[in-house]
Amino acid sequence: MALNNVAIYPGSFDPITNGHVDLVKRTLRVFDKVIIAIATNPGKDNSLFSLDERLQMVREVFKGHDGRVQADSFEGLLVDYAEGRRATVIIRGLRAVSDFEYEFQMAMMNHRLKPKLETLFMMTGESEFYISSRLVKEVVSLGGNVSGLVPDNVLKKLDQKFKR
Ligand code: PNS
């Protein structure tokens, strides 16, 4: 695995969780730079947070990383975006076995579209294994406590969204 390389970590990040943060930190042990690429789908967007809010939260979380973590967004195919950024590796996290089928299909499809682009799976840490943006939003919307599962700035934004 080449150092001085750029990895793209794509996703919805609605919002970024401590599972994502753990994965970015692991990726920084292998790659010089990580681009967190937030996928947008204008027409079909049912995200809780706007793109700007998601980008801002990610930037706040990684502001102390000497520019090694960049936040960006893209529309359209991930493989085209990766090519435009001259990245050759896509990072995805694997949590439970249930992630595998979906991730495997995406990796194969991306590989078919751009064979030179590799997908690299990183295991999520054991304390972040069960965290997902979807569950975090559900728990907060029903009045539950998610502190420790998301960065502090995200916790504040979630509280504001659900007016608590
Ligand atoms: O965090 P998510 O929602 O699991 O991320 C999924 C994401 C954004 C990585 C995936 O939907 C994606 O790559 N979207 C961009 C459009 C695209 O390239 N689709 C084909 C994927 S095989």
Side-chain angles (χ1 to χ4, degrees), residues 10-13 20 37-40 74-79 92 102-103 105-107 109-110 113:
S12 309
F13 300 99
H20 297 126
I38 304 182
T40 58
F74 71 100
E75 214 184 296
L77 283 177
L78 170 62
V79 290
R92 290 288 288 175
Y102 169 61
E103 294 298 337
Q105 285 175 345
M106 277 206 300
M109 180 61 82
N110 285 332
L113 293 168

Side-chain angles (χ1 to χ4, degrees), residues 55-133:
L55 280 169
Q56 192 196 348
M57 283 187 276
V58 169
R59 286 183 181 133
E60 281 167 11
V61 170
F62 292 106
K63 63 174 181 271
H65 282 75
D66 295 334
R68 290 181 69 203
V69 183
Q70 218 185 70
D72 195 9
S73 63
F74 71 100
E75 214 184 296
L77 283 177
L78 170 62
V79 290
D80 291 336
Y81 171 76
E83 189 172 63
R85 298 296 312 248
R86 294 174 194 277
T88 52
V89 176
I90 292 170
I91 299 289
R92 290 288 288 175
L94 274 184
R95 292 166 302 190
V97 179
S98 54
D99 280 347
F100 184 78
E101 196 176 335
Y102 169 61
E103 294 298 337
F104 186 70
Q105 285 175 345
M106 277 206 300
M108 296 301 280
M109 180 61 82
N110 285 332
H111 184 70
R112 189 188 160 88
L113 293 168
K114 295 263 190 251
K116 285 192 180 149
L117 196 58
E118 292 295 341
T119 300
L120 193 70
F121 292 105
M122 306 280 276
M123 298 295 287
T124 308
E126 62 208 33
S127 31
E128 287 83 21
F129 213 66
Y130 59 95
I131 308 175
S132 73
S133 301

